[in-house]
Amino acid sequence: MIETRALSPALGVEVTGVTDLLHPQVVSRCLEALKWRGVLLIRGLNLDDEAQLAFSRELGTVLAPGGKEIFKVSLDPSVNPSADYLRATFHWHIDDTTSDVPAKATMLTARHVAMVGGGTEFASTYAAFEALPAEDQKRYEQLRVVHSFEAAQRLTHPDPTEQQIQAWRSLPTHETSLVWQRHDGRRSMVIGATADHIVGVSPEESRTLLDELRDWSTQERFRYTHEWAVGDVVIWDNTGMLHRALPYDPASKRTMHRTTIAGEEAWA
Ligand code: OGA
Ligand code: MN
């Protein structure tokens, strides 16, 4: 029988007792748990790529960024040619902020874990927004944010070459409302490493407010840290959870296989 258990007060749920991952009842419990808890953990599944894809397809449409449905998260350039970009995952971020319709969920399966470090942290911007004083909520609801790949890359490359800047700028930027109210009424915040500036606000003031909101949202009470074991599956609601990798040695061979589930609702 499947059971659920909270991982932390504000977010996260572990599902246990799963014998048939593709059973419709298991799938619907997982989707429900993901919606309300933001992060879903199933330990010890040891899915191979086929099984990961089959489960991912039960949750929605699997995207193939760069033509591949399975993306290998690794800092080893021989495993992932864009390993250098992945260093930005050490900073709190939301994936896919520059797309019109952000990915709904991301799934990682742990194939090889680091001996030291290499956990993944999640923070719920739904819970963080809800806990703000009403007058701040009202003020933030008026604001819009521009997201860019460049803003995230500058965190790991503070002194970029002209060529790096050109490459980053060849990707589209995207403007969203700071507070995203969904069709179902739930509200989260679209912040993190890709948040470049607030529309109509000076770069300095933008930075101050965006950093403040990130720090507010990533307080321990809105956060869950996952320490990986090989075979774990973690899925998160990418549209509302900030996340980051905790530091690990690039030579550790830490490898996660990622699938991405297409979103159904465009940013506001
Ligand atoms: C990602 C990501 C974090 C990690 O794959 O989008 O942010 O811990 N990964 O590898
Ligand atoms: Mn990410």
mmCIF file of all heavy atoms in Angstrom, residues 197-236:
data_model
loop_
_atom_site.group_PDB
_atom_site.id
_atom_site.type_symbol
_atom_site.label_atom_id
_atom_site.label_comp_id
_atom_site.label_asym_id
_atom_site.label_seq_id
_atom_site.Cartn_x
_atom_site.Cartn_y
_atom_site.Cartn_z
ATOM 1 N N HIS A 197 16.435 41.900 -13.564
ATOM 2 C CA HIS A 197 16.020 43.181 -12.968
ATOM 3 C C HIS A 197 14.501 43.289 -12.951
ATOM 4 O O HIS A 197 13.803 42.510 -13.601
ATOM 5 C CB HIS A 197 16.619 44.370 -13.732
ATOM 6 C CG HIS A 197 16.106 44.484 -15.139
ATOM 7 N ND1 HIS A 197 16.650 43.791 -16.192
ATOM 8 C CD2 HIS A 197 15.066 45.196 -15.659
ATOM 9 C CE1 HIS A 197 15.980 44.079 -17.304
ATOM 10 N NE2 HIS A 197 15.021 44.928 -17.010
ATOM 11 N N ILE A 198 14.042 44.255 -12.185
ATOM 12 C CA ILE A 198 12.611 44.532 -12.114
ATOM 13 C C ILE A 198 12.319 45.668 -13.082
ATOM 14 O O ILE A 198 13.072 46.658 -13.139
ATOM 15 C CB ILE A 198 12.221 44.871 -10.664
ATOM 16 C CG1 ILE A 198 12.426 43.603 -9.820
ATOM 17 C CG2 ILE A 198 10.779 45.354 -10.561
ATOM 18 C CD1 ILE A 198 12.287 43.798 -8.353
ATOM 19 N N VAL A 199 11.276 45.502 -13.852
ATOM 20 C CA VAL A 199 10.962 46.484 -14.887
ATOM 21 C C VAL A 199 10.696 47.858 -14.252
ATOM 22 O O VAL A 199 9.928 47.964 -13.292
ATOM 23 C CB VAL A 199 9.732 46.029 -15.717
ATOM 24 C CG1 VAL A 199 9.334 47.085 -16.744
ATOM 25 C CG2 VAL A 199 10.036 44.700 -16.403
ATOM 26 N N GLY A 200 11.387 48.878 -14.775
ATOM 27 C CA GLY A 200 11.168 50.241 -14.311
ATOM 28 C C GLY A 200 11.868 50.570 -13.004
ATOM 29 O O GLY A 200 11.652 51.643 -12.441
ATOM 30 N N VAL A 201 12.714 49.685 -12.513
ATOM 31 C CA VAL A 201 13.432 49.909 -11.252
ATOM 32 C C VAL A 201 14.932 49.868 -11.569
ATOM 33 O O VAL A 201 15.371 49.078 -12.411
ATOM 34 C CB VAL A 201 13.035 48.814 -10.213
ATOM 35 C CG1 VAL A 201 13.861 48.920 -8.945
ATOM 36 C CG2 VAL A 201 11.546 48.906 -9.894
ATOM 37 N N SER A 202 15.717 50.720 -10.910
ATOM 38 C CA SER A 202 17.153 50.798 -11.218
ATOM 39 C C SER A 202 17.835 49.457 -10.945
ATOM 40 O O SER A 202 17.359 48.671 -10.107
ATOM 41 C CB SER A 202 17.816 51.876 -10.363
ATOM 42 O OG SER A 202 17.927 51.418 -9.031
ATOM 43 N N PRO A 203 18.959 49.200 -11.634
ATOM 44 C CA PRO A 203 19.655 47.920 -11.422
ATOM 45 C C PRO A 203 19.996 47.678 -9.951
ATOM 46 O O PRO A 203 19.813 46.562 -9.450
ATOM 47 C CB PRO A 203 20.938 48.062 -12.254
ATOM 48 C CG PRO A 203 20.626 49.090 -13.290
ATOM 49 C CD PRO A 203 19.602 50.012 -12.679
ATOM 50 N N GLU A 204 20.424 48.727 -9.240
ATOM 51 C CA GLU A 204 20.823 48.543 -7.834
ATOM 52 C C GLU A 204 19.620 48.182 -6.968
ATOM 53 O O GLU A 204 19.668 47.252 -6.163
ATOM 54 C CB GLU A 204 21.481 49.814 -7.264
ATOM 55 C CG GLU A 204 22.771 50.236 -7.955
ATOM 56 C CD GLU A 204 22.549 50.828 -9.360
ATOM 57 O OE1 GLU A 204 21.458 51.433 -9.594
ATOM 58 O OE2 GLU A 204 23.434 50.677 -10.217
ATOM 59 N N GLU A 205 18.541 48.953 -7.139
ATOM 60 C CA GLU A 205 17.335 48.671 -6.342
ATOM 61 C C GLU A 205 16.741 47.316 -6.702
ATOM 62 O O GLU A 205 16.235 46.601 -5.831
ATOM 63 C CB GLU A 205 16.276 49.746 -6.610
ATOM 64 C CG GLU A 205 16.236 50.846 -5.586
ATOM 65 C CD GLU A 205 15.081 51.791 -5.904
ATOM 66 O OE1 GLU A 205 13.942 51.496 -5.479
ATOM 67 O OE2 GLU A 205 15.328 52.800 -6.601
ATOM 68 N N SER A 206 16.797 46.985 -7.987
ATOM 69 C CA SER A 206 16.312 45.671 -8.427
ATOM 70 C C SER A 206 17.062 44.581 -7.710
ATOM 71 O O SER A 206 16.479 43.645 -7.157
ATOM 72 C CB SER A 206 16.557 45.473 -9.930
ATOM 73 O OG SER A 206 15.671 46.208 -10.713
ATOM 74 N N ARG A 207 18.393 44.705 -7.722
ATOM 75 C CA ARG A 207 19.250 43.680 -7.104
ATOM 76 C C ARG A 207 18.915 43.507 -5.626
ATOM 77 O O ARG A 207 18.784 42.394 -5.131
ATOM 78 C CB ARG A 207 20.718 44.101 -7.298
ATOM 79 C CG ARG A 207 21.772 43.073 -7.110
ATOM 80 C CD ARG A 207 21.794 42.000 -8.186
ATOM 81 N NE ARG A 207 20.880 40.908 -7.906
ATOM 82 C CZ ARG A 207 20.187 40.227 -8.821
ATOM 83 N NH1 ARG A 207 20.274 40.524 -10.098
ATOM 84 N NH2 ARG A 207 19.401 39.255 -8.487
ATOM 85 N N THR A 208 18.779 44.654 -4.941
ATOM 86 C CA THR A 208 18.492 44.604 -3.508
ATOM 87 C C THR A 208 17.186 43.858 -3.241
ATOM 88 O O THR A 208 17.132 42.956 -2.410
ATOM 89 C CB THR A 208 18.406 46.037 -2.931
ATOM 90 O OG1 THR A 208 19.632 46.689 -3.263
ATOM 91 C CG2 THR A 208 18.212 46.041 -1.431
ATOM 92 N N LEU A 209 16.142 44.215 -3.991
ATOM 93 C CA LEU A 209 14.844 43.578 -3.745
ATOM 94 C C LEU A 209 14.869 42.101 -4.141
ATOM 95 O O LEU A 209 14.363 41.243 -3.406
ATOM 96 C CB LEU A 209 13.736 44.316 -4.512
ATOM 97 C CG LEU A 209 12.340 43.710 -4.361
ATOM 98 C CD1 LEU A 209 11.929 43.603 -2.892
ATOM 99 C CD2 LEU A 209 11.302 44.502 -5.141
ATOM 100 N N LEU A 210 15.491 41.799 -5.284
ATOM 101 C CA LEU A 210 15.523 40.390 -5.725
ATOM 102 C C LEU A 210 16.313 39.525 -4.743
ATOM 103 O O LEU A 210 15.932 38.393 -4.447
ATOM 104 C CB LEU A 210 16.107 40.285 -7.143
ATOM 105 C CG LEU A 210 15.184 40.829 -8.241
ATOM 106 C CD1 LEU A 210 15.945 40.984 -9.563
ATOM 107 C CD2 LEU A 210 13.964 39.928 -8.433
ATOM 108 N N ASP A 211 17.414 40.078 -4.216
ATOM 109 C CA ASP A 211 18.210 39.324 -3.233
ATOM 110 C C ASP A 211 17.420 39.141 -1.931
ATOM 111 O O ASP A 211 17.454 38.077 -1.315
ATOM 112 C CB ASP A 211 19.548 40.025 -2.950
ATOM 113 C CG ASP A 211 20.513 39.881 -4.120
ATOM 114 O OD1 ASP A 211 20.179 39.153 -5.089
ATOM 115 O OD2 ASP A 211 21.593 40.509 -4.091
ATOM 116 N N GLU A 212 16.707 40.214 -1.547
ATOM 117 C CA GLU A 212 15.892 40.140 -0.328
ATOM 118 C C GLU A 212 14.821 39.049 -0.456
ATOM 119 O O GLU A 212 14.609 38.265 0.468
ATOM 120 C CB GLU A 212 15.163 41.473 -0.167
ATOM 121 C CG GLU A 212 15.465 42.233 1.098
ATOM 122 C CD GLU A 212 14.824 43.622 1.020
ATOM 123 O OE1 GLU A 212 13.566 43.713 0.948
ATOM 124 O OE2 GLU A 212 15.600 44.587 0.996
ATOM 125 N N LEU A 213 14.160 39.017 -1.615
ATOM 126 C CA LEU A 213 13.096 38.028 -1.821
ATOM 127 C C LEU A 213 13.656 36.612 -1.872
ATOM 128 O O LEU A 213 13.039 35.670 -1.373
ATOM 129 C CB LEU A 213 12.322 38.337 -3.107
ATOM 130 C CG LEU A 213 11.386 39.527 -2.992
ATOM 131 C CD1 LEU A 213 10.802 39.876 -4.356
ATOM 132 C CD2 LEU A 213 10.259 39.231 -1.997
ATOM 133 N N ARG A 214 14.836 36.472 -2.461
ATOM 134 C CA ARG A 214 15.492 35.156 -2.478
ATOM 135 C C ARG A 214 15.825 34.728 -1.042
ATOM 136 O O ARG A 214 15.544 33.602 -0.645
ATOM 137 C CB ARG A 214 16.760 35.206 -3.333
ATOM 138 C CG ARG A 214 17.512 33.872 -3.372
ATOM 139 C CD ARG A 214 18.976 34.089 -3.671
ATOM 140 N NE ARG A 214 19.552 35.012 -2.702
ATOM 141 C CZ ARG A 214 20.571 35.836 -2.944
ATOM 142 N NH1 ARG A 214 21.140 35.869 -4.116
ATOM 143 N NH2 ARG A 214 21.027 36.645 -2.002
ATOM 144 N N ASP A 215 16.392 35.638 -0.269
ATOM 145 C CA ASP A 215 16.764 35.288 1.109
ATOM 146 C C ASP A 215 15.526 34.973 1.953
ATOM 147 O O ASP A 215 15.531 34.056 2.767
ATOM 148 C CB ASP A 215 17.576 36.417 1.756
ATOM 149 C CG ASP A 215 18.940 36.575 1.103
ATOM 150 O OD1 ASP A 215 19.338 35.670 0.330
ATOM 151 O OD2 ASP A 215 19.609 37.604 1.341
ATOM 152 N N TRP A 216 14.471 35.733 1.735
ATOM 153 C CA TRP A 216 13.210 35.473 2.450
ATOM 154 C C TRP A 216 12.696 34.063 2.108
ATOM 155 O O TRP A 216 12.324 33.278 2.981
ATOM 156 C CB TRP A 216 12.166 36.525 2.057
ATOM 157 C CG TRP A 216 10.788 36.186 2.539
ATOM 158 C CD1 TRP A 216 9.791 35.574 1.826
ATOM 159 C CD2 TRP A 216 10.258 36.397 3.859
ATOM 160 N NE1 TRP A 216 8.677 35.392 2.613
ATOM 161 C CE2 TRP A 216 8.934 35.886 3.863
ATOM 162 C CE3 TRP A 216 10.769 36.969 5.030
ATOM 163 C CZ2 TRP A 216 8.119 35.925 4.984
ATOM 164 C CZ3 TRP A 216 9.949 37.006 6.156
ATOM 165 C CH2 TRP A 216 8.645 36.497 6.124
ATOM 166 N N SER A 217 12.700 33.760 0.815
ATOM 167 C CA SER A 217 12.090 32.503 0.343
ATOM 168 C C SER A 217 12.903 31.277 0.706
ATOM 169 O O SER A 217 12.367 30.168 0.729
ATOM 170 C CB SER A 217 11.924 32.536 -1.178
ATOM 171 O OG SER A 217 11.127 33.633 -1.549
ATOM 172 N N THR A 218 14.194 31.457 0.954
ATOM 173 C CA THR A 218 15.053 30.288 1.189
ATOM 174 C C THR A 218 15.381 30.102 2.676
ATOM 175 O O THR A 218 16.301 29.364 3.019
ATOM 176 C CB THR A 218 16.346 30.377 0.353
ATOM 177 O OG1 THR A 218 17.024 31.599 0.670
ATOM 178 C CG2 THR A 218 16.048 30.354 -1.131
ATOM 179 N N GLN A 219 14.600 30.754 3.539
ATOM 180 C CA GLN A 219 14.747 30.517 4.976
ATOM 181 C C GLN A 219 14.458 29.050 5.274
ATOM 182 O O GLN A 219 13.689 28.410 4.563
ATOM 183 C CB GLN A 219 13.716 31.335 5.756
ATOM 184 C CG GLN A 219 13.888 32.818 5.687
ATOM 185 C CD GLN A 219 12.726 33.482 6.411
ATOM 186 O OE1 GLN A 219 12.692 33.560 7.619
ATOM 187 N NE2 GLN A 219 11.745 33.956 5.654
ATOM 188 N N GLU A 220 15.003 28.589 6.368
ATOM 189 C CA GLU A 220 14.867 27.167 6.680
ATOM 190 C C GLU A 220 13.410 26.697 6.720
ATOM 191 O O GLU A 220 13.100 25.591 6.298
ATOM 192 C CB GLU A 220 15.571 26.857 8.007
ATOM 193 C CG GLU A 220 15.612 25.360 8.207
ATOM 194 C CD GLU A 220 16.536 24.899 9.308
ATOM 195 O OE1 GLU A 220 17.232 25.741 9.902
ATOM 196 O OE2 GLU A 220 16.525 23.685 9.549
ATOM 197 N N ARG A 221 12.511 27.545 7.187
ATOM 198 C CA ARG A 221 11.111 27.092 7.319
ATOM 199 C C ARG A 221 10.412 26.846 5.975
ATOM 200 O O ARG A 221 9.356 26.233 5.928
ATOM 201 C CB ARG A 221 10.303 28.084 8.155
ATOM 202 C CG ARG A 221 10.251 29.480 7.572
ATOM 203 C CD ARG A 221 9.445 30.363 8.521
ATOM 204 N NE ARG A 221 9.602 31.769 8.200
ATOM 205 C CZ ARG A 221 8.602 32.631 8.235
ATOM 206 N NH1 ARG A 221 7.397 32.236 8.560
ATOM 207 N NH2 ARG A 221 8.816 33.900 7.965
ATOM 208 N N PHE A 222 11.002 27.361 4.882
ATOM 209 C CA PHE A 222 10.413 27.122 3.552
ATOM 210 C C PHE A 222 11.252 26.143 2.731
ATOM 211 O O PHE A 222 11.097 26.054 1.514
ATOM 212 C CB PHE A 222 10.307 28.434 2.758
ATOM 213 C CG PHE A 222 9.613 29.549 3.487
ATOM 214 C CD1 PHE A 222 10.210 30.805 3.580
ATOM 215 C CD2 PHE A 222 8.367 29.358 4.060
ATOM 216 C CE1 PHE A 222 9.576 31.852 4.246
ATOM 217 C CE2 PHE A 222 7.725 30.406 4.734
ATOM 218 C CZ PHE A 222 8.331 31.649 4.827
ATOM 219 N N ARG A 223 12.168 25.434 3.386
ATOM 220 C CA ARG A 223 13.220 24.730 2.657
ATOM 221 C C ARG A 223 13.261 23.243 2.996
ATOM 222 O O ARG A 223 12.937 22.840 4.099
ATOM 223 C CB ARG A 223 14.545 25.368 3.095
ATOM 224 C CG ARG A 223 15.655 25.288 2.103
ATOM 225 C CD ARG A 223 16.779 26.203 2.510
ATOM 226 N NE ARG A 223 17.459 25.653 3.679
ATOM 227 C CZ ARG A 223 18.204 26.367 4.537
ATOM 228 N NH1 ARG A 223 18.368 27.670 4.354
ATOM 229 N NH2 ARG A 223 18.763 25.797 5.553
ATOM 230 N N TYR A 224 13.697 22.451 2.016
ATOM 231 C CA TYR A 224 13.998 21.033 2.253
ATOM 232 C C TYR A 224 15.311 20.709 1.547
ATOM 233 O O TYR A 224 15.518 21.110 0.399
ATOM 234 C CB TYR A 224 12.862 20.133 1.716
ATOM 235 C CG TYR A 224 13.286 18.690 1.623
ATOM 236 C CD1 TYR A 224 13.557 17.954 2.791
ATOM 237 C CD2 TYR A 224 13.478 18.057 0.389
ATOM 238 C CE1 TYR A 224 13.990 16.638 2.714
ATOM 239 C CE2 TYR A 224 13.900 16.741 0.311
ATOM 240 C CZ TYR A 224 14.166 16.042 1.477
ATOM 241 O OH TYR A 224 14.612 14.748 1.397
ATOM 242 N N THR A 225 16.188 19.998 2.249
ATOM 243 C CA THR A 225 17.456 19.584 1.641
ATOM 244 C C THR A 225 17.428 18.082 1.424
ATOM 245 O O THR A 225 17.187 17.329 2.382
ATOM 246 C CB THR A 225 18.642 19.930 2.569
ATOM 247 O OG1 THR A 225 18.613 21.326 2.843
ATOM 248 C CG2 THR A 225 19.970 19.573 1.908
ATOM 249 N N HIS A 226 17.662 17.666 0.208
ATOM 250 C CA HIS A 226 17.706 16.225 -0.057
ATOM 251 C C HIS A 226 19.141 15.724 -0.149
ATOM 252 O O HIS A 226 19.918 16.220 -0.959
ATOM 253 C CB HIS A 226 16.954 15.872 -1.348
ATOM 254 C CG HIS A 226 16.860 14.388 -1.520
ATOM 255 N ND1 HIS A 226 16.198 13.600 -0.607
ATOM 256 C CD2 HIS A 226 17.395 13.545 -2.431
ATOM 257 C CE1 HIS A 226 16.317 12.340 -0.966
ATOM 258 N NE2 HIS A 226 17.049 12.276 -2.065
ATOM 259 N N GLU A 227 19.460 14.751 0.688
ATOM 260 C CA GLU A 227 20.763 14.068 0.608
ATOM 261 C C GLU A 227 20.530 12.806 -0.220
ATOM 262 O O GLU A 227 19.727 11.957 0.163
ATOM 263 C CB GLU A 227 21.266 13.699 2.013
ATOM 264 C CG GLU A 227 21.497 14.890 2.944
ATOM 265 C CD GLU A 227 22.602 15.833 2.461
ATOM 266 O OE1 GLU A 227 23.375 15.473 1.541
ATOM 267 O OE2 GLU A 227 22.686 16.945 3.015
ATOM 268 N N TRP A 228 21.228 12.713 -1.317
ATOM 269 C CA TRP A 228 20.947 11.655 -2.290
ATOM 270 C C TRP A 228 21.541 10.303 -1.925
ATOM 271 O O TRP A 228 22.651 10.226 -1.412
ATOM 272 C CB TRP A 228 21.538 12.047 -3.641
ATOM 273 C CG TRP A 228 20.873 13.204 -4.290
ATOM 274 C CD1 TRP A 228 21.287 14.505 -4.252
ATOM 275 C CD2 TRP A 228 19.690 13.167 -5.086
ATOM 276 N NE1 TRP A 228 20.412 15.280 -4.980
ATOM 277 C CE2 TRP A 228 19.438 14.487 -5.500
ATOM 278 C CE3 TRP A 228 18.815 12.146 -5.493
ATOM 279 C CZ2 TRP A 228 18.356 14.831 -6.307
ATOM 280 C CZ3 TRP A 228 17.746 12.481 -6.295
ATOM 281 C CH2 TRP A 228 17.516 13.804 -6.687
ATOM 282 N N ALA A 229 20.797 9.257 -2.267
ATOM 283 C CA ALA A 229 21.361 7.907 -2.323
ATOM 284 C C ALA A 229 21.109 7.416 -3.750
ATOM 285 O O ALA A 229 20.095 7.785 -4.364
ATOM 286 C CB ALA A 229 20.668 6.995 -1.326
ATOM 287 N N VAL A 230 22.016 6.617 -4.257
ATOM 288 C CA VAL A 230 21.822 6.069 -5.604
ATOM 289 C C VAL A 230 20.465 5.360 -5.654
ATOM 290 O O VAL A 230 20.094 4.649 -4.716
ATOM 291 C CB VAL A 230 22.975 5.094 -5.959
ATOM 292 C CG1 VAL A 230 22.644 4.306 -7.232
ATOM 293 C CG2 VAL A 230 24.280 5.861 -6.138
ATOM 294 N N GLY A 231 19.727 5.611 -6.738
ATOM 295 C CA GLY A 231 18.414 4.977 -6.887
ATOM 296 C C GLY A 231 17.254 5.868 -6.519
ATOM 297 O O GLY A 231 16.114 5.580 -6.877
ATOM 298 N N ASP A 232 17.526 6.985 -5.806
ATOM 299 C CA ASP A 232 16.444 7.916 -5.446
ATOM 300 C C ASP A 232 15.869 8.592 -6.690
ATOM 301 O O ASP A 232 16.605 8.916 -7.627
ATOM 302 C CB ASP A 232 16.968 9.062 -4.561
ATOM 303 C CG ASP A 232 17.304 8.629 -3.144
ATOM 304 O OD1 ASP A 232 17.030 7.476 -2.798
ATOM 305 O OD2 ASP A 232 17.851 9.473 -2.403
ATOM 306 N N VAL A 233 14.578 8.852 -6.632
ATOM 307 C CA VAL A 233 13.913 9.675 -7.645
ATOM 308 C C VAL A 233 13.331 10.886 -6.922
ATOM 309 O O VAL A 233 12.637 10.727 -5.917
ATOM 310 C CB VAL A 233 12.766 8.911 -8.331
ATOM 311 C CG1 VAL A 233 11.995 9.816 -9.277
ATOM 312 C CG2 VAL A 233 13.303 7.706 -9.081
ATOM 313 N N VAL A 234 13.641 12.074 -7.413
ATOM 314 C CA VAL A 234 13.043 13.289 -6.868
ATOM 315 C C VAL A 234 12.425 14.067 -8.025
ATOM 316 O O VAL A 234 13.039 14.229 -9.076
ATOM 317 C CB VAL A 234 14.079 14.159 -6.114
ATOM 318 C CG1 VAL A 234 13.486 15.517 -5.759
ATOM 319 C CG2 VAL A 234 14.541 13.451 -4.837
ATOM 320 N N ILE A 235 11.189 14.488 -7.812
ATOM 321 C CA ILE A 235 10.482 15.297 -8.813
ATOM 322 C C ILE A 235 10.066 16.581 -8.123
ATOM 323 O O ILE A 235 9.653 16.550 -6.961
ATOM 324 C CB ILE A 235 9.197 14.585 -9.310
ATOM 325 C CG1 ILE A 235 9.495 13.130 -9.672
ATOM 326 C CG2 ILE A 235 8.581 15.319 -10.489
ATOM 327 C CD1 ILE A 235 8.217 12.308 -9.837
ATOM 328 N N TRP A 236 10.194 17.710 -8.809
ATOM 329 C CA TRP A 236 9.728 18.941 -8.174
ATOM 330 C C TRP A 236 8.897 19.779 -9.133
ATOM 331 O O TRP A 236 9.024 19.672 -10.336
ATOM 332 C CB TRP A 236 10.881 19.742 -7.591
ATOM 333 C CG TRP A 236 11.849 20.348 -8.560
ATOM 334 C CD1 TRP A 236 11.775 21.576 -9.139
ATOM 335 C CD2 TRP A 236 13.065 19.762 -9.045
ATOM 336 N NE1 TRP A 236 12.868 21.792 -9.947
ATOM 337 C CE2 TRP A 236 13.675 20.690 -9.905
ATOM 338 C CE3 TRP A 236 13.711 18.527 -8.840
ATOM 339 C CZ2 TRP A 236 14.882 20.438 -10.563
ATOM 340 C CZ3 TRP A 236 14.901 18.278 -9.495
ATOM 341 C CH2 TRP A 236 15.475 19.227 -10.339
#
